[in-house]
Structures are given as C-alpha cells and as structure tokens.
Amino acid sequence: MNNLRFLITQSHSNGSQACKGIHHCALEEDLLHKHLSMGEVELARKVFDEIPQPSVFLWNAMIRAYSWKGPFHRAIKLYYDMLNSGVKPNKFTFPFVLKACSSLLALEEGEEIHEYVRRIGLESDLFVSTALIDMYMKCGCLDESCAVFDGMPNRDVVSWNAMIAGFALHGMYEDTIGYVLEMQNAGTRPNRSTVVTLLPVVGQAKALTQGRSIHGYCVRRYFDEDDILVGTALLDMYMKCTSLVYACRIFGKMSSKNEVTWSAMIGGYVLCDRMMDALEVFDQMMLEGSSKPASSSLASALRACAKLADLNGGKTLHNYSIKFGFLSDITIGNSLLSMYAKIGSIGDAVKYLDEMEFKDTVSYSAIISGYVQNGNAKEAFAIFKSMLSNVEPDVATMVGIIPACSHLSALQHGKLNHGLAIIHGLASDVSVSNALIDMYMKCGRIDHGREVFDRMSKRDVVSWNTMIAGYGTHGRGKEAISLFLNMQAECIVPDDITFICLLSACSHSGLVTEGKHWFHAMTLNYRIKPRMEHYICLVDLLGRGGYLDEAREYIRRMPFEPDVRVWGALLGACRIHKNIELGEEVSQMIGKLGPEGTGNFVLLSNIYSAAGRFNEAAQVRIMQRDKGFMKSPGCSWIEIKGNIHAFIGGDRTHPQSQKIYGKLQELLVEIKKLGYRPDTSFVLHDMDDEEKEHALLYHSEKLAIAFAILSSSNDKPIFVTKNLRVCGDCHGAIKLITLVSKRVIVVRDASRFHHFSDGMCNCRDFW
C-alpha cells in the first residue's frame, strides 16, 4: 500500500513537471510570435534558440522572417540547421527559403533545395513550383524556370506572374507579352500584379501602342482607380515612351503619390530632356512634403542641374542630400560628382571626391569625364593615375579616359590605356573598342584604328560611323565610301550620323558627285530625313568644290530656316575661292542671325585681307571686338616621349625657344631655295612685307615642327595638333619642309588631317 502511494505521488510529481514544461514552451512560442509580429527578428531568434525542440512550424516562422527582413543568408543557414536537427521541412518551408536564395542569387543552394524537393515529391506543389520559377528567373536560369513551369499540373495567376516577371526582369519584351497572351488563352485573367510587372518592360521597349492597350484594360477592370502602384507604373511607361501628355494626365489624377511616383515623374522628364520641368516637379514634391524624397528623385534632379549648368540649383540639392542623410548613398555621391564636373566646377568636384567615404569606378569616371569635357585632359590623366592605386578601372572609366588621349593627340598615353584595357579584360567591349578606334584615328594612326576595328567580334553602328568619320578626316573619302558599302553588306542599318560622316568624308576628299549621290540616296533609299547637319556637309562639299551658286541654291531650298552654321560653311567656301561679292552677302545673312562665335568674323576678315582691302578687314575686327567675340590664339601641341609640348604663335616661353627659332630660320633658308615665297594674304594686318614674313614664320604649327625635328629621331613621323585650321602659307611651307628634313609630317587641325610627305599633302590643297 505504501509502495502504491509512492508510485502515485511520484507519477503526480512527474506529471506536474511535464505540465510546467509544456506551459513554459507555450509561453516561449507566444513570445517568439509576438517579437516576429513586431518585426523584432533578432529578439525572436534569441527566444527560438532557447526552445529545446522547435516544431517545423517555428522553424518556418523564423526562416520566413529572415527571408523577408534579412539577412537572407540566415534564412538559408536555418534551413540547413533544421535538416541537421532531424526536423523534416514541409511544403511551406520551401517558398520561404527559396525566396532568400532569390534575393542572394544563391543558385547553388537553390539547386540543392530543388533536388531535395524532387526527392520528397513536392515538385508539383503549386507554391513550391512558383518559388522555384522565381528563384531560377532571378538567377538568370530561364530554361530551368520554363522546365519547372511546363511540369506544373496546375497554375494560378501567381505562377503565371512569376514567369512574366522573370522575362520582364531580363528585358525580354516579346517573351513577356507571349506569356501574358498564353495566360489569357489558358483562362487566367491578369491582375494588378501582372500589370505592374508588365508595364516596365513595355516602357523599356517603347511599345506605346501595347502600353495604351494595357492602360485600356486597367480602366475596364478599374485597376487604375486609387491604386498607386498601377498609376505609377502607367505614368512611368508613358514617360519611357516619351508620351508626356498621357503621363502628366495620370500624374495629375492620382489622389495620392509615394516616393516612387515622384521619382518616376522627375526621372521621366529628365529622360525626355525636359530638365526645367523635372526640377519644377522636384520643387513641387518638396513643397508638398508628403514623403521623404527617394534617392532616385534626387539623382535625377542632379542630372537636370548638370544638363542646365545650374550650379546654384545643384548646390541646393547637395544641401538636401546632407539634410536627408543621403551622402552615404554611393549613387547620390556619384551624381553630385558628375553634376559638379559637367558644370565645370572642377574645384567643387575634386573637393567632394576627397570627402567621399566610399569611392567606386563610377566616382572616378565622373570626374575624369568632367575634366575631359572641360578641356582639362592632363588633370584627367592625373586622376586616372591615382584611381589605379585604389580601384580597378571598368568600361565606363576607360571610355572616359581614352578621349583625353584623343583631345591631346597623346598617342603614348593612348597605347598605355589600350594595354590597360587588355590587361583588365575590357578591350573586347564594344564601347571601349569604339573609343580606341576614335583615339587612334585622332592620333593619326589609321592603321591601328583599323586593326582594332577588324578584331572586333561584334560591331555596332557607332563602330562603323567612327571608322567612316576617321577615314573622312584623313582625306580618304574613297575608303570611307567602301566601308559604308561593307557596312550594308553586313546588314548594319546606317543612321543619320552615318550620313553626316559619309558626306563629310566626301567633302574632305573633293568627291562632289559621290557626295551629292549619297545626300539624295539618304532620303530616297534609306528614309532618313536630312537635318541641318546634313545640309552643312553638302554646302561645304559644293562650296569647297567651287560650286558656290549651287550651294547657295541648296540653302535657299532647305525645308527649314538656315542657321549660322550653314551660312558659315558657305562663307568658308567664299574665302577659299576669293568670292568677295557672295562673301559680303553671306556675311549680311549671318549678321541678321547673330554669329555664334569668332569664326565667321575671322572668315570675312580673311576674305578682305586676301584681297588687300585692309580697311574693311579692320572694320570687321572692330565689329568683332565690339560684340565681345575674341579670336582664339593659334595653338599647336606635340607629344615627345610621352610629354605634351604646347606652342602659341610668336611665343618664346618654351625652354628651348632659342634653338627652335634658330631651326626655323635654317628651314626658311632651305625651303626658299626650293621656291618658297611667303603667302602674305594670310596676314590679317596691313604691314610691310618683311613684318608679314616674320609673322608667318612663327605660326604655332611651324614652331612645333621645328621642335620635333630637334627632339626626335629622323625615322619617326612628326605629328602636330592645332586648335585652328592650318593656314595656306603654313600648308605650303610644310610641304617643302618634308623635302628638306626628309620627314613625314602629319598635322591635325580643326577641320581635318593633313599627311605631308615628299613635298605633297594628301588633301591635294583641298581643305
């Protein structure tokens, strides 16, 4: 009896402890769920770790929390811990852990989970299959996504949306639309999520008709009424299709707007080159104060300020960046850098670069491009050099720095950057190759440019245009035309830029008949409507060829009002052919429009000076001065052993000026023996012949050539770059200098390249 009482007491005691344990576990589970409901994931995790044997339900709850809130890798780690603990996942586990794999693009783990799903027979489950589709799509495995989708016995709107979203994510417009149509044919109606997923790829494809059709569907289904996501997606689509009227109408009707809505509107205006409107919408957003601006809104507004050269507005946005704590955002930081650099406030750009805690290749690329665009190529080289000690260059960096070599005609720097592009695996990129072609062409090495072009595995229309333009500026018009024909043979469709390059090539080579043919073929055969730039090329072509009346007639028949540039092309032809009467008429037309710069004043002054009418030339120069236009001094530069040496006409600041001027005097004596007589019509002032000869002798290109003869070996070609057109006297003198020095001389001026050799120039005096 006593033993029985003991057993009963013992049993009652154990039962009480068990009840307490169960009660304790229930309390912990309740606490865990409370933390999760409040978003306190780490506190929930601490409670979870104290539970001795969590159920599959609790494992799923924690995995789900991490898959939504992050860190995502902890969701995957918990899944493997769950397997190791002996708890079998169920069909609810896999959508959560696969979502974490999607977020991390963790394809290897996703494939392992898929294999486990196959083994336990859950592959046909609707929710698991949909999660697998999403994971494979985001990891770029489109075939695997399609295989899972095709194997599904049943599909709902969510699984269809997963496929549509995946193809849209990769910008595959046709496939995206195809699955929407299949979805409808299968009897599943698109919902709001379908529309929001579909519209971005429609906008990206600029498929306005399709976008309007989707808009109509939204109206019929009442999706557009007070749905901020659908409204934002619609206005973003219309903006990307440059249909501003519809976008503004939707924006105006929206009763509520979030930061994405404002960002879409501001970014859309920037995309459509409506910078003032973009800034007005940004100001409206800030005045309403309904939401904190998105970083993308601020970045778009900064791009607008950069385009408008609005430094004050840019600095205001900089202050907003500080106020809203965006300075740590690398995108905002780079946008600020780019804004300062493009406006030309290089000091602010450099200062901000030094202050940036985090810098990437985009940061350096922005300031390098800014330096190049503002003519500070040497400073761009210095920034690029400092960048190489911190980060590796990327495509954008190389595309930014290579043009600096082009501007300075710095071939050695260009070759060095070409080598860097090869080392870092960037030389095969189309945009880098295009920049290299342009650089070699502008540095006078057509052979190197063609070699880069021929090695390209893939070429775009810019590649062909760059080569055609390069051949044109080197006076090799027939090669430019041949390349154009090859372009068509390879089924590359020419654009309007192609024909500007082609017509310019014909102009530089005196191919008048060919140029006229391609001008008319452009409209008749290629359906490209000529714009002002095409007419400028045609007028230049006809004018240089001596067909001044025909050039004048083309200007008269233009379908739009001629501008200063096209009249300037005709005025340049009047200078070449010494047609004072037409030159005066053209000058009057330019005067009515208002000259854009010094060039047209100089041309007219040259015409009068060449005719010995120095009073009229002086009056033009006085008018030029009174209107505030200053003539840029002639400047030439040359690269010797990687160093750039610059010369201004008559300047004696170079350390070796005495030797240079002595060498020029020697060359003058020698070329006079060959028949050289100074062409004093290129001296714009009324002075005696001796003074004129002295002024001509010390033109900047002659100084650069003399220095090159002194400083480089006899077997190397001399390459000189000049900021203005080479004058006729220098052109004639350089031809004779090649005979005296037995050197090949290449001069790149503001108009074209002149290849001098054996007393001849490849332009055949036609420039």
Side-chain angles (χ1 to χ4, degrees), residues 212-254:
R212 285 176 177 165
S213 177
I214 296 167
H215 188 181
Y217 177 82
C218 291
V219 172
R220 292 193 298 274
R221 295 290 306 278
Y222 303 104
F223 288 170
D224 63 329
E225 291 189 359
D226 296 324
D227 190 312
I228 197 167
L229 296 179
V230 173
T232 299
L234 281 168
L235 81 85
D236 181 64
M237 178 275 296
Y238 279 123
M239 275 297 192
K240 286 175 179 170
C241 293
T242 66
S243 184
L244 298 177
V245 174
Y246 280 98
C248 293
R249 193 176 297 168
I250 290 169
F251 185 74
K253 286 183 177 180
M254 293 178 71

Side-chain angles (χ1 to χ4, degrees), residues 128-190:
V128 174
S129 295
T130 301
L132 283 167
I133 291 168
D134 180 67
M135 184 273 296
Y136 279 126
M137 278 292 188
K138 285 178 179 170
C139 290
C141 302
L142 277 62
D143 291 340
E144 287 80 354
S145 294
C146 292
V148 173
F149 184 78
D150 293 341
M152 293 176 71
N154 299 299
R155 303 175 184 127
D156 65 359
V157 68
V158 180
S159 52
W160 281 102
N161 284 349
M163 289 297 290
I164 293 164
F167 282 111
L169 175 69
H170 295 285
M172 301 173 69
Y173 170 73
E174 298 293 342
D175 295 277
T176 306
I177 295 296
Y179 270 91
V180 174
L181 296 175
E182 277 189 48
M183 174 186 184
Q184 291 174 299
N185 291 335
T188 303
R189 272 187 169 188

Side-chain angles (χ1 to χ4, degrees), residues 430-578:
V430 174
S431 56
V432 173
S433 293
N434 292 344
L436 286 168
I437 293 168
D438 182 64
M439 180 273 295
Y440 281 123
M441 286 293 186
K442 287 178 178 174
C443 288
R445 296 307 302 263
I446 306 176
D447 52 342
H448 287 359
R450 185 59 192 252
E451 187 178 343
V452 173
F453 179 81
D454 289 339
R455 286 184 177 179
M456 293 175 72
S457 57
K458 182 182 177 183
R459 306 182 187 107
D460 60 11
V461 68
V462 178
S463 315
W464 292 91
N465 290 351
T466 306
M467 279 301 301
I468 292 169
Y471 275 130
T473 55
H474 283 275
R476 294 168 64 167
K478 291 189 182 296
E479 286 96 326
I481 293 172
S482 176
L483 198 66
F484 174 74
L485 297 174
N486 291 341
M487 175 184 183
Q488 294 175 93
E490 293 199 16
C491 300
I492 303 294
V493 179
D495 60 12
D496 58 335
I497 303 297
T498 311
F499 283 96
I500 291 173
C501 298
L502 187 62
L503 291 170
S504 179
C506 291
S507 177
H508 285 307
S509 298
L511 303 175
V512 177
T513 303
E514 293 87 340
K516 288 172 66 176
H517 165 76
W518 290 117
F519 179 83
H520 294 294
M522 174 178 66
T523 304
L524 296 173
N525 302 338
Y526 299 93
R527 308 295 182 199
I528 294 174
K529 196 173 181 180
R531 51 190 174 94
M532 187 67 72
E533 287 74 13
H534 298 103
Y535 277 98
I536 291 169
C537 290
L538 182 65
V539 169
D540 187 61
L541 167 75
L542 293 169
R544 289 175 189 273
Y547 302 94
L548 299 178
D549 292 336
E550 189 176 353
R552 176 69 178 84
E553 184 62 20
Y554 268 103
I555 294 176
R556 191 185 66 78
R557 292 186 301 175
M558 281 169 56
F560 34 72
E561 286 297 316
D563 67 6
V564 172
R565 295 172 299 162
V566 75
W567 286 117
L570 184 56
L571 185 60
C574 294
R575 162 68 181 89
I576 294 169
H577 298 287
K578 298 180 173 59

